[in-house]
Amino acid sequence: MLRYLLRPASLPALLCVALLLLGLYYPAAALSASVRGLTIWWEVLFPALFPFFVLSELMLGFGIVHFFGTLMDPLMRPLFRLPGISGFVVAMGYLSGYPVGARLTAQLRERGQVTQAEGERIVAFTTTSDPIFLIGAVSVGFFHNAALAPILAAAHYGSGLLIGVLARFHDRRAPATPPAAGKKGGRFLLGAALSAMHEAVQADGRKLGRLLQESIGSALRLMTVVGGLVVFFSVVMELLTKAGTLDLLAAGLRTILDAAGLPRQLSASFVNGLFEVTLGAKSSAEAGAPVIH
Protein backbone atom coordinates (compact mmCIF):
# COMPACT_ATOMS: atom_id res chain seq x y z
CA MET A 1 0.00 0.00 0.00
CA LEU A 2 2.71 2.46 1.03
CA ARG A 3 4.80 1.48 -2.00
CA TYR A 4 1.88 2.30 -4.29
CA LEU A 5 1.25 5.67 -2.66
CA LEU A 6 4.90 6.65 -3.08
CA ARG A 7 4.82 6.10 -6.84
CA PRO A 8 4.98 9.29 -9.00
CA ALA A 9 1.79 8.22 -10.77
CA SER A 10 -0.07 8.40 -7.46
CA LEU A 11 0.86 12.04 -6.83
CA PRO A 12 -2.14 13.57 -8.70
CA ALA A 13 -4.56 11.37 -6.77
CA LEU A 14 -2.96 12.33 -3.45
CA LEU A 15 -3.13 16.02 -4.34
CA CYS A 16 -6.83 15.70 -5.22
CA VAL A 17 -7.53 14.02 -1.89
CA ALA A 18 -5.58 16.71 -0.04
CA LEU A 19 -7.52 19.49 -1.81
CA LEU A 20 -10.81 17.74 -1.04
CA LEU A 21 -9.94 17.54 2.67
CA LEU A 22 -8.89 21.19 2.69
CA GLY A 23 -12.17 22.13 1.02
CA LEU A 24 -14.11 20.26 3.68
CA TYR A 25 -12.07 21.92 6.43
CA TYR A 26 -12.41 25.44 4.95
CA PRO A 27 -15.83 25.38 3.24
CA ALA A 28 -16.47 29.11 3.65
CA ALA A 29 -13.12 30.02 2.08
CA ALA A 30 -13.73 27.63 -0.82
CA LEU A 31 -17.17 29.10 -1.50
CA SER A 32 -15.86 32.65 -1.31
CA ALA A 33 -13.02 31.84 -3.71
CA SER A 34 -15.47 30.19 -6.14
CA VAL A 35 -17.68 33.28 -6.19
CA ARG A 36 -14.63 35.51 -6.66
CA GLY A 37 -13.37 33.42 -9.57
CA LEU A 38 -16.81 33.35 -11.16
CA THR A 39 -17.06 37.14 -10.85
CA ILE A 40 -13.69 37.59 -12.58
CA TRP A 41 -14.79 35.30 -15.40
CA TRP A 42 -18.18 36.94 -15.94
CA GLU A 43 -17.21 40.59 -15.49
CA VAL A 44 -13.71 40.58 -17.03
CA LEU A 45 -12.84 37.52 -19.09
CA PHE A 46 -16.16 36.80 -20.81
CA PRO A 47 -16.72 40.27 -22.32
CA ALA A 48 -13.03 40.60 -23.17
CA LEU A 49 -12.47 37.22 -24.83
CA PHE A 50 -15.81 36.05 -26.23
CA PRO A 51 -15.94 38.51 -29.19
CA PHE A 52 -12.38 37.58 -30.21
CA PHE A 53 -13.19 33.87 -30.10
CA VAL A 54 -16.16 34.39 -32.40
CA LEU A 55 -14.19 36.64 -34.77
CA SER A 56 -11.32 34.18 -34.99
CA GLU A 57 -13.74 31.41 -36.00
CA LEU A 58 -15.30 33.66 -38.64
CA MET A 59 -11.90 34.67 -40.03
CA LEU A 60 -10.97 31.03 -40.42
CA GLY A 61 -14.22 30.33 -42.26
CA PHE A 62 -13.85 33.36 -44.54
CA GLY A 63 -10.25 32.47 -45.43
CA ILE A 64 -8.79 35.69 -43.99
CA VAL A 65 -6.29 33.69 -41.96
CA HIS A 66 -5.07 31.94 -45.10
CA PHE A 67 -4.77 35.28 -46.92
CA PHE A 68 -2.50 36.85 -44.30
CA GLY A 69 -0.72 33.56 -43.78
CA THR A 70 0.39 33.50 -47.40
CA LEU A 71 1.54 37.12 -47.26
CA MET A 72 3.56 36.57 -44.07
CA ASP A 73 5.19 33.31 -45.11
CA PRO A 74 8.44 34.96 -46.35
CA LEU A 75 8.82 36.63 -42.93
CA MET A 76 7.77 33.87 -40.56
CA ARG A 77 9.89 31.07 -42.02
CA PRO A 78 13.34 32.64 -41.73
CA LEU A 79 12.65 34.22 -38.32
CA PHE A 80 10.67 31.55 -36.49
CA ARG A 81 10.80 28.50 -38.82
CA LEU A 82 7.01 28.59 -39.02
CA PRO A 83 4.52 28.77 -41.90
CA GLY A 84 3.10 32.17 -42.70
CA ILE A 85 -0.33 31.25 -41.35
CA SER A 86 1.18 31.38 -37.86
CA GLY A 87 1.68 35.14 -38.31
CA PHE A 88 -2.05 35.62 -37.91
CA VAL A 89 -1.93 33.68 -34.64
CA VAL A 90 0.93 35.87 -33.40
CA ALA A 91 -0.97 39.07 -34.22
CA MET A 92 -4.25 37.90 -32.68
CA GLY A 93 -2.50 36.43 -29.64
CA TYR A 94 -0.65 39.66 -28.89
CA LEU A 95 -3.68 41.87 -29.49
CA SER A 96 -6.30 39.71 -27.75
CA GLY A 97 -4.27 38.03 -25.00
CA TYR A 98 -4.39 34.47 -23.78
CA PRO A 99 -5.84 32.00 -24.54
CA VAL A 100 -6.63 33.27 -28.06
CA GLY A 101 -3.20 32.28 -29.40
CA ALA A 102 -3.49 28.77 -28.00
CA ARG A 103 -7.03 28.39 -29.34
CA LEU A 104 -6.08 29.48 -32.86
CA THR A 105 -3.06 27.20 -32.82
CA ALA A 106 -5.27 24.27 -31.85
CA GLN A 107 -7.62 25.09 -34.72
CA LEU A 108 -4.76 25.18 -37.22
CA ARG A 109 -3.49 21.87 -35.86
CA GLU A 110 -6.94 20.27 -36.18
CA ARG A 111 -7.10 21.41 -39.81
CA GLY A 112 -3.63 20.01 -40.52
CA GLN A 113 -2.22 23.43 -41.42
CA VAL A 114 0.67 23.20 -38.94
CA THR A 115 2.60 20.23 -37.63
CA GLN A 116 2.75 19.27 -33.97
CA ALA A 117 6.24 20.73 -33.56
CA GLU A 118 5.18 23.97 -35.26
CA GLY A 119 2.12 24.21 -33.02
CA GLU A 120 4.30 23.81 -29.94
CA ARG A 121 6.59 26.60 -31.14
CA ILE A 122 3.65 28.91 -31.87
CA VAL A 123 2.08 28.42 -28.44
CA ALA A 124 5.47 28.98 -26.77
CA PHE A 125 5.53 32.68 -27.69
CA THR A 126 1.90 33.65 -28.36
CA THR A 127 0.54 32.98 -24.86
CA THR A 128 0.70 36.61 -23.76
CA SER A 129 -1.38 39.29 -22.08
CA ASP A 130 -3.26 41.80 -24.18
CA PRO A 131 -2.21 45.50 -24.23
CA ILE A 132 -5.39 46.61 -22.46
CA PHE A 133 -4.55 44.35 -19.52
CA LEU A 134 -0.97 45.62 -19.33
CA ILE A 135 -1.94 49.28 -19.58
CA GLY A 136 -5.33 49.45 -17.89
CA ALA A 137 -5.23 46.72 -15.27
CA VAL A 138 -1.54 46.49 -14.34
CA SER A 139 0.01 49.90 -14.99
CA VAL A 140 -2.94 52.14 -14.07
CA GLY A 141 -5.19 49.88 -12.01
CA PHE A 142 -2.61 48.11 -9.84
CA PHE A 143 0.47 50.36 -9.83
CA HIS A 144 -1.31 53.69 -10.51
CA ASN A 145 1.57 54.62 -12.81
CA ALA A 146 0.92 54.87 -16.56
CA ALA A 147 4.66 55.33 -17.19
CA LEU A 148 5.11 51.62 -16.48
CA ALA A 149 3.13 50.64 -19.60
CA PRO A 150 5.95 51.01 -22.21
CA ILE A 151 8.40 49.16 -19.96
CA LEU A 152 5.97 46.32 -19.30
CA ALA A 153 5.04 46.06 -22.98
CA ALA A 154 8.66 46.02 -24.12
CA ALA A 155 9.61 43.38 -21.56
CA HIS A 156 6.49 41.28 -22.12
CA TYR A 157 6.28 41.22 -25.91
CA GLY A 158 10.03 41.51 -26.47
CA SER A 159 10.68 38.42 -24.38
CA GLY A 160 7.86 36.64 -26.19
CA LEU A 161 9.40 37.33 -29.59
CA LEU A 162 12.81 36.28 -28.28
CA ILE A 163 11.31 32.99 -27.14
CA GLY A 164 9.85 32.59 -30.62
CA VAL A 165 13.28 33.01 -32.21
CA LEU A 166 14.85 30.56 -29.77
CA ALA A 167 11.98 28.10 -30.21
CA ARG A 168 12.92 27.68 -33.87
CA PHE A 169 15.54 25.20 -32.64
CA HIS A 170 12.89 23.07 -30.95
CA ASP A 171 12.52 19.66 -32.63
CA ARG A 172 14.69 20.62 -35.59
CA ARG A 173 14.30 17.22 -37.23
CA ALA A 174 10.52 17.45 -37.38
CA PRO A 175 9.06 17.96 -40.88
CA ALA A 176 7.93 21.48 -41.73
CA THR A 177 4.71 22.55 -43.39
CA PRO A 178 5.57 23.10 -47.08
CA PRO A 179 5.04 26.62 -48.45
CA ALA A 180 2.25 27.24 -50.92
CA ALA A 181 3.25 27.25 -54.54
CA GLY A 182 3.71 30.46 -56.48
CA LYS A 183 4.83 32.79 -53.69
CA LYS A 184 7.66 34.88 -55.12
CA GLY A 185 6.90 38.46 -54.22
CA GLY A 186 4.98 41.52 -55.35
CA ARG A 187 1.88 40.77 -57.38
CA PHE A 188 2.68 37.06 -57.42
CA LEU A 189 2.57 36.97 -53.62
CA LEU A 190 -0.69 38.93 -53.48
CA GLY A 191 -2.23 36.70 -56.12
CA ALA A 192 -1.21 33.61 -54.21
CA ALA A 193 -2.74 35.08 -51.05
CA LEU A 194 -6.06 35.79 -52.78
CA SER A 195 -6.01 32.30 -54.28
CA ALA A 196 -5.38 30.74 -50.85
CA MET A 197 -8.28 32.76 -49.41
CA HIS A 198 -10.64 31.61 -52.18
CA GLU A 199 -9.61 27.98 -51.80
CA ALA A 200 -10.16 28.14 -48.04
CA VAL A 201 -13.69 29.51 -48.50
CA GLN A 202 -14.48 26.81 -51.06
CA ALA A 203 -13.10 24.08 -48.80
CA ASP A 204 -15.09 25.34 -45.80
CA GLY A 205 -18.37 25.50 -47.71
CA ARG A 206 -20.48 26.89 -44.86
CA LYS A 207 -23.02 29.65 -45.41
CA LEU A 208 -22.86 32.81 -43.31
CA GLY A 209 -25.73 31.83 -41.01
CA ARG A 210 -24.34 28.39 -40.22
CA LEU A 211 -20.80 29.74 -39.85
CA LEU A 212 -21.95 32.39 -37.38
CA GLN A 213 -24.01 29.88 -35.40
CA GLU A 214 -21.16 27.39 -35.13
CA SER A 215 -18.66 30.15 -34.30
CA ILE A 216 -20.80 31.34 -31.39
CA GLY A 217 -21.33 27.79 -30.16
CA SER A 218 -17.60 27.00 -30.29
CA ALA A 219 -16.75 30.26 -28.49
CA LEU A 220 -19.30 29.55 -25.76
CA ARG A 221 -17.89 26.06 -25.17
CA LEU A 222 -14.38 27.44 -24.89
CA MET A 223 -15.47 30.22 -22.53
CA THR A 224 -17.11 27.61 -20.31
CA VAL A 225 -13.79 25.77 -20.07
CA VAL A 226 -11.97 29.02 -19.32
CA GLY A 227 -14.47 29.89 -16.60
CA GLY A 228 -14.14 26.47 -15.01
CA LEU A 229 -10.36 26.77 -14.89
CA VAL A 230 -10.52 30.24 -13.34
CA VAL A 231 -12.93 29.13 -10.61
CA PHE A 232 -10.99 25.93 -9.92
CA PHE A 233 -7.60 27.59 -9.54
CA SER A 234 -9.12 30.41 -7.51
CA VAL A 235 -10.32 27.81 -5.00
CA VAL A 236 -7.00 25.93 -5.09
CA MET A 237 -5.00 29.07 -4.32
CA GLU A 238 -7.31 30.05 -1.49
CA LEU A 239 -7.10 26.59 0.10
CA LEU A 240 -3.30 26.50 -0.25
CA THR A 241 -3.13 29.94 1.33
CA LYS A 242 -5.27 28.80 4.27
CA ALA A 243 -3.05 25.74 4.70
CA GLY A 244 0.11 27.85 4.69
CA THR A 245 1.57 26.10 1.63
CA LEU A 246 1.98 29.29 -0.39
CA ASP A 247 3.79 30.92 2.52
CA LEU A 248 6.29 28.05 2.56
CA LEU A 249 6.91 28.44 -1.19
CA ALA A 250 7.36 32.19 -0.79
CA ALA A 251 9.86 31.65 2.01
CA GLY A 252 11.88 29.34 -0.21
CA LEU A 253 11.92 31.94 -2.98
CA ARG A 254 13.30 34.70 -0.76
CA THR A 255 16.77 33.17 -0.86
CA ILE A 256 16.70 33.02 -4.65
CA LEU A 257 15.52 36.64 -4.89
CA ASP A 258 18.25 37.79 -2.53
CA ALA A 259 20.88 36.06 -4.68
CA ALA A 260 19.43 37.71 -7.81
CA GLY A 261 19.41 41.16 -6.19
CA LEU A 262 15.61 41.44 -6.32
CA PRO A 263 13.39 42.68 -3.49
CA ARG A 264 12.51 39.75 -1.28
CA GLN A 265 9.02 41.09 -0.64
CA LEU A 266 8.18 39.99 -4.20
CA SER A 267 8.39 36.32 -3.22
CA ALA A 268 4.64 36.06 -2.61
CA SER A 269 4.00 37.76 -5.95
CA PHE A 270 6.09 35.17 -7.77
CA VAL A 271 4.17 32.34 -6.13
CA ASN A 272 0.78 33.91 -6.92
CA GLY A 273 1.86 34.56 -10.50
CA LEU A 274 2.71 30.89 -11.00
CA PHE A 275 -0.95 30.04 -10.44
CA GLU A 276 -2.73 33.09 -11.86
CA VAL A 277 -1.08 36.04 -13.57
CA THR A 278 -3.67 38.64 -12.52
CA LEU A 279 -3.28 37.82 -8.85
CA GLY A 280 0.49 37.85 -9.27
CA ALA A 281 0.45 41.33 -10.79
CA LYS A 282 -1.89 42.63 -8.11
CA SER A 283 0.30 41.15 -5.39
CA SER A 284 3.38 42.80 -6.92
CA ALA A 285 1.70 46.20 -6.75
CA GLU A 286 0.77 45.65 -3.10
CA ALA A 287 4.21 44.30 -2.10
CA GLY A 288 5.73 47.76 -1.74
CA ALA A 289 8.75 46.99 -3.95
CA PRO A 290 10.40 50.04 -5.57
CA VAL A 291 9.28 50.94 -9.09
CA ILE A 292 10.12 53.77 -11.50
CA HIS A 293 8.91 57.28 -10.71
Side-chain angles (χ1 to χ4, degrees), residues 86-174:
S86 62
F88 176 80
V89 181
V90 175
M92 288 294 293
Y94 280 34
L95 290 174
S96 309
Y98 46 78
V100 173
R103 173 57 177 168
L104 288 174
T105 303
Q107 290 174 319
L108 295 182
R109 181 73 184 107
E110 291 169 357
R111 292 170 176 238
Q113 294 169 314
V114 296
T115 65
Q116 179 176 337
E118 289 170 343
E120 292 169 352
R121 292 199 292 270
I122 297 172
V123 172
F125 74 105
T126 59
T127 306
T128 61
S129 300
D130 62 276
I132 295 177
F133 175 79
L134 287 179
I135 298 172
V138 180
S139 301
V140 178
F142 294 159
F143 286 93
H144 308 289
N145 188 354
L148 282 176
I151 298 176
L152 291 176
H156 192 62
Y157 299 117
S159 61
L161 292 174
L162 179 60
I163 291 174
V165 174
L166 295 177
R168 72 191 313 274
F169 301 105
H170 167 65
D171 206 351
R172 301 182 67 177
R173 297 183 179 180

Side-chain angles (χ1 to χ4, degrees), residues 48-58 92 97-101 103-104 107 215 218-220 222-223 226:
L49 295 178
F50 180 74
F52 287 103
F53 285 155
V54 176
L55 286 174
S56 64
E57 293 274 357
L58 291 175
M92 288 294 293
Y98 46 78
V100 173
R103 173 57 177 168
L104 288 174
Q107 290 174 319
S215 298
S218 176
L220 283 174
L222 182 57
M223 285 306 307
V226 171

Side-chain angles (χ1 to χ4, degrees), residues 182-204:
K183 293 184 289 183
K184 298 180 180 179
R187 295 181 180 178
F188 294 99
L189 183 62
L190 180 60
L194 292 173
S195 177
M197 180 178 177
H198 176 72
E199 291 174 2
V201 173
Q202 294 296 111
D204 187 278

Side-chain angles (χ1 to χ4, degrees), residues 65-86:
V65 175
H66 304 76
F67 174 82
F68 284 104
T70 305
L71 289 180
M72 297 185 70
D73 196 79
L75 175 65
M76 298 301 295
R77 287 188 184 274
L79 278 180
F80 306 108
R81 203 159 63 92
L82 292 170
I85 202 168
S86 62

